[in-house]
């Protein structure tokens, strides 16, 4: 591995294009921004030597001795409070510039070019190079480790990345594309609701413990159908299929948790204590083996059957029709699998957690859902055998409910799946505020800090979905999207204050699919249950494990309506 892997500061960064779960399409990104009024002329820009920041000793101590690796999101807020919107932190030879102001985030993104790099190097690429035979591991790996049948994918650079990105964007990001998968998602949502009903009936007070685990199963079942047209049985009572899929879910968690560890630990230490790297590689190996088996099955099945029936499609089919090399298909779908399990599960858990703690918001959303169901039966979507056309109509109707959209946006503002994003501007030096940042400098975009900035979000730590609504969108009646309704403009006063899916060429390619799953799952759960906090349960705080996740299991009381 590169010596740059010594930098713990980079543990805040997601090293490839995962779902970053309500980003607006945002303003068009220009290549050359105009400097704000009153800023110095380029000749008077300050250098990094003048930029504030903690000492290397203090930074290392906070990360390694005070549990800072799990609190990187909190360190963003404290760093902004102490040093202002721009500060630097150094660990070893690598320096990171932290950007915690929406206008400055916009300034960076407008200068990133058509092929932005997320990081100088990362464990995911190191694992890929190792398994592809290119070397790069921090220590010798067992000869029994199987080689991987791919070398490129969405975390890569150059033409291979651009080609995969274009295909996936066409199949997943264009308007209406996600609705093609509404039928499978509706079926899995119905199975999730049935499972929640079974679980809450087993408890005298209707408590479902650790809802995050249940939503991980939902996420894996749904994304496997979308990626491979595979049914896994994740939401059944028991059985061999469930035991197998639990192993996949554990591997997803291990990759996300160990990404931080393998980035934070210095290379010499990994050579002495190789267990984290070995566990990281083992988890990735299991995920790739799982994805490869399902891709191979789907490709063989389609070849044997001939032309597919209308509505019978998946991401594997999309890539295969475009003659994407099978090695690249393996890489793409494995990383989409990783993104599709934890990101949707975490956001769904946080949404219900906050709605349980805010019964007024939950009641308003329930009224809106009931009214929409009465107006258009398509929005009920409660059958496990819902046909594709009805499911697509349901998804479209739900996406036009202002309060449902606002709840998801507010959840992602408070708990952005990607708390900090990385950028490396490689072409030339760039201007950020009053500073000139040299090329090849690692930049952290502090999304968690900007989304909790009181200048743009009054009472920033409070759950207030109404902040995303126009004044006429009361939440009591169905209506169009907030952008189509006359009234007071919704949302933050700066379009870059909350970017949970990112923006630009490296934005989340699965954004619309994630929103589809969240809207459909929240609607059906809230139509069936009133959700309340667990009696005696304490406050759950987030933690960083590459993604932002609940720091403790979330248990909720589900009361049948």
């Amino acid at each position: 591995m590169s010596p740059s892997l010594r930098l713990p500061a980079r543990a805040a960064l997601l090293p490839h294009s995962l779902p970053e779960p309500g980003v607006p399409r945002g303003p068009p990104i220009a290549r050359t921004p105009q400097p704000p009024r009153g800023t110095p002329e380029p000749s008077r820009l300050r250098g990094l030597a003048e930029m504030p920041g903690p000492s290397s000793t203090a930074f290392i101590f906070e990360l390694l001795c005070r549990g800072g690796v799990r609190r990187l999101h909190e360190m963003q807020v404290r760093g902004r409070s102490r040093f202002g919107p721009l500060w630097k932190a150094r660990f070893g030879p690598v320096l990171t510039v932290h950007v915690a102001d929406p206008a400055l985030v916009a300034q960076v993104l407008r200068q990133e070019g058509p092929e932005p790099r997320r990081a100088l190097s990362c464990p995911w690429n190191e694992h890929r190079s190792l398994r592809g035979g290119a070397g790069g591991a921090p220590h010798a790996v067992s000869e029994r480790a199987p080689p991987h049948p791919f070398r490129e994918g969405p975390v890569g650079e150059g033409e291979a990345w651009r080609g995969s990105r274009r295909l996936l964007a066409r199949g997943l990001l264009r308007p209406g594309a996600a609705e093609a998968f509404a039928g499978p998602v509706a079926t899995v949502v119905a199975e999730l609701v049935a499972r929640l009903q079974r679980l809450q009936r087993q408890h005298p007070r209707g408590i479902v413990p650790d809802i995050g685990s249940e939503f991980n199963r939902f996420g894996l079942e749904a994304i496997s159908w979308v990626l491979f047209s595979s049914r896994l049985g994740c939401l059944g009572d028991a059985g061999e299929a469930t035991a197998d899929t639990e192993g996949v879910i554990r591997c997803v968690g291990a990759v996300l948790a160990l990404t931080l560890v393998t980035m934070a630990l210095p290379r010499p230490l990994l050579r002495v204590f190789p267990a984290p790297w070995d566990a990281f590689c083992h988890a990735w190996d299991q995920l790739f083996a799982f994805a490869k088996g399902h891709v191979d099955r789907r490709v063989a099945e389609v070849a044997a059957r001939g032309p597919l029936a209308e509505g019978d499609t998946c991401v594997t089919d999309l890539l295969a029709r475009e003659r994407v090399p099978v090695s690249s298909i393996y890489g793409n779908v494995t990383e989409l699998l990783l993104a599709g399990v934890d990101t949707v599960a975490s956001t769904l858990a946080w949404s219900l957690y906050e709605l349980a703690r805010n019964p007024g918001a939950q009641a308003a959303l329930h009224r809106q859902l009931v009214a929409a169901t009465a107006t258009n039966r398509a929005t009920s979507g409660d059958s496990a055998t819902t046909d594709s056309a009805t499911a697509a109509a349901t998804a479209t109707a739900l996406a036009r409910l202002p309060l449902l959209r606002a709840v998801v946006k507010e959840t992602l503002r408070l708990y952005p799946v990607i708390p900090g994003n990385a950028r490396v501007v490689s072409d030339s030096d760039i201007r950020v505020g009053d500073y000139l940042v040299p090329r090849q400098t690692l930049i952290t975009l502090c999304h968690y800090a900007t989304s909790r900035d009181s200048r743009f979000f009054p009472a920033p730590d409070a759950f207030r979905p109404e902040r995303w609504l126009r004044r006429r969108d009361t939440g009591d009646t169905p209506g169009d999207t907030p952008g189509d309704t006359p009234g007071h403009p919704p949302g933050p006063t700066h379009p870059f204050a909350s970017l949970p899916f990112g923006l630009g060429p490296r934005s989340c390619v699965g954004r619309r699919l994630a929103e589809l799953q969240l809207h459909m799952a929240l609607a059906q759960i809230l139509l069936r249950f009133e959700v309340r906090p667990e009696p005696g349960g304490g406050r759950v705080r987030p933690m960083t494990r590459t993604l932002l996740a609940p720091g403790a299991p979330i248990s909720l009381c589900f009361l049948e309506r």
Side-chain angles (χ1 to χ4, degrees):
M1 275 195 294
S2 166
S4 64
L5 287 181
R6 297 175 182 174
L7 177 64
R10 293 177 47 237
L13 316 172
L14 183 67
H16 76 61
S17 183
L18 283 181
E20 302 171 18
V23 159
R25 293 185 70 87
I29 296 181
R31 292 296 302 275
T32 305
Q34 295 297 320
R37 288 184 180 181
T39 54
E41 296 298 324
S43 60
R44 298 171 54 198
L45 292 179
R46 289 178 281 180
L48 293 186
E50 301 175 77
M51 185 178 289
S55 68
S56 295
T57 302
F59 187 62
I60 294 169
F61 182 79
E62 181 72 21
L63 283 173
L64 301 184
C65 301
R66 300 185 63 183
V69 171
R70 293 168 60 91
R71 298 182 293 102
L72 289 164
H73 55 291
E74 296 176 4
M75 292 177 65
Q76 291 181 16
V77 177
R78 287 203 301 271
R80 182 185 62 193
S81 175
R82 181 179 177 188
F83 303 113
L86 276 174
W87 72 94
K88 65 184 178 184
R90 179 181 292 278
F91 187 86
V94 182
L95 179 142
T96 304
V97 171
H98 295 77
V99 181
D101 178 84
L104 298 178
V105 169
Q107 195 175 17
V108 172
L109 292 177
R110 286 171 175 147
Q111 298 177 86
E112 65 180 2
E115 294 183 29
R117 293 174 57 197
R118 283 195 173 273
L120 298 168
S121 63
C122 70
W124 294 23
N125 284 337
E126 295 291 342
H127 172 265
R128 171 165 299 185
S129 297
L130 175 70
R131 292 300 189 254
H139 63 277
V141 180
S142 169
E143 295 180 358
R144 293 175 294 175
H148 263 302
F150 79 97
R151 293 176 185 268
E152 65 277 322
V155 303
E157 310 288 345
E159 185 57 38
W161 172 76
R162 287 197 304 271
S164 295
R165 173 74 189 193
R166 282 194 298 267
L167 290 176
L168 291 171
R170 188 164 59 218
L172 297 176
L173 279 179
R174 61 179 173 79
E179 281 73 11
F181 303 105
V185 172
T187 300
V188 179
V189 166
E191 293 173 357
L192 171 64
V193 171
R195 180 175 175 85
L196 291 174
Q197 186 177 58
R198 291 194 303 270
L199 291 173
Q200 65 94 20
R201 288 178 176 177
Q202 294 172 7
H203 194 283
R205 291 182 292 180
I207 293 175
V208 177
D210 192 7
I211 60 171
S213 295
E214 301 305 324
F215 296 153
N216 276 328
R217 297 184 183 102
F218 162 73
L220 179 57
E221 187 73 29
I223 197 63
S224 294
W225 200 339
V226 168
L227 294 177
F228 321 114
S229 286
S230 295
R231 296 306 316 273
L232 306 179
C234 295
L235 298 169
D237 289 324
E240 182 179 350
T242 301
D244 292 341
T245 55
E246 288 298 316
V248 174
I249 292 172
R250 285 194 297 271
C251 287
V252 168
V255 167
L256 295 174
L258 291 169
T259 294
L260 291 181
V261 176
T262 53
M263 293 179 85
L265 290 178
R267 183 177 178 182
L269 195 58
L270 281 177
R271 287 173 173 163
V272 177
F273 302 104
W277 176 258
D278 288 342
F280 174 81
C281 290
H282 175 75
W284 260 127
D285 291 342
Q286 297 303 306
L287 291 178
F288 283 123
F290 174 84
K292 180 181 182 301
H294 284 275
V295 168
D296 291 345
R297 177 203 58 77
R298 179 62 177 179
V299 170
E301 179 183 278
V302 171
R305 285 168 43 192
L308 298 172
E310 184 178 357
D312 180 14
T313 189
C314 62
V315 172
T316 295
D317 299 339
L318 166 70
L319 296 174
R321 281 197 302 268
E322 298 292 338
R323 301 184 182 277
V324 173
V326 68
S327 59
S328 186
I329 295 177
Y330 294 150
N332 277 278
V333 298
T334 302
E335 288 163 9
L336 288 170
L337 173 72
L338 179 72
V341 174
D342 200 87
T343 55
V344 170
S346 178
T347 304
L348 189 54
W350 283 125
S351 296
L352 291 177
Y353 170 77
E354 288 292 349
L355 287 170
R357 298 175 67 246
N358 294 271
Q362 181 179 172
L365 178 54
H366 179 254
R367 288 194 297 270
Q368 189 177 88
L369 291 168
V370 170
T373 302
T375 302
N376 181 359
R377 286 298 301 171
T379 57
S380 64
D382 56 355
S383 172
T385 59
T386 301
D387 63 85
S388 297
T390 301
T394 298
T396 301
L398 291 174
R400 296 178 67 83
L401 297 182
L403 190 52
L404 180 60
R405 290 165 53 90
V407 164
V408 172
K409 287 183 177 182
E410 181 70 350
T411 301
L412 290 169
R413 180 192 70 81
L414 285 172
Y415 310 103
V417 176
I418 308 298
N421 226 328
R423 286 295 186 270
V424 177
V425 182
S426 57
D427 293 339
S428 60
D429 301 348
I430 67 169
R431 177 179 183 165
V432 184
D434 296 344
Y435 294 89
L436 187 66
V437 178
R439 63 187 298 272
Q440 297 297 320
T441 300
L442 187 66
I443 299 175
T444 299
L445 306 179
C446 300
H447 298 309
Y448 184 89
T450 60
S451 67
R452 296 203 180 210
D453 191 328
S454 60
R455 295 175 300 163
F456 309 105
F457 302 100
D461 296 329
F463 180 75
R464 293 183 177 177
E466 64 272 14
R467 73 173 88 238
W468 298 95
L469 299 175
R470 294 181 183 269
R471 287 172 181 163
R472 288 179 54 183
D473 290 329
T474 64
D476 293 329
T477 57
D480 291 338
T481 60
D484 295 333
T485 308
H488 184 71
T493 56
H494 196 291
F496 288 80
S498 178
L499 295 177
F501 290 107
L503 193 68
R506 287 283 188 179
S507 63
C508 173
V509 76
R511 167 198 168 181
R512 296 188 187 277
L513 183 59
E515 290 175 332
L516 174 80
Q517 295 179 68
L518 290 167
H519 292 161
M520 297 184 79
L522 280 173
Q524 294 309 311
I525 290 171
L526 294 174
L527 283 170
R528 301 305 184 282
F529 305 102
E530 178 186 352
V531 184
R532 296 181 182 177
E534 178 187 21
R539 186 82 165 92
V540 178
R541 305 288 180 182
M543 70 171 183
T544 305
R545 63 163 195 174
T546 303
L547 306 183
L548 198 68
I554 296 175
S555 301
L556 296 175
C557 181
F558 288 77
L559 303 179
E560 293 188 58
R561 295 187 188 273

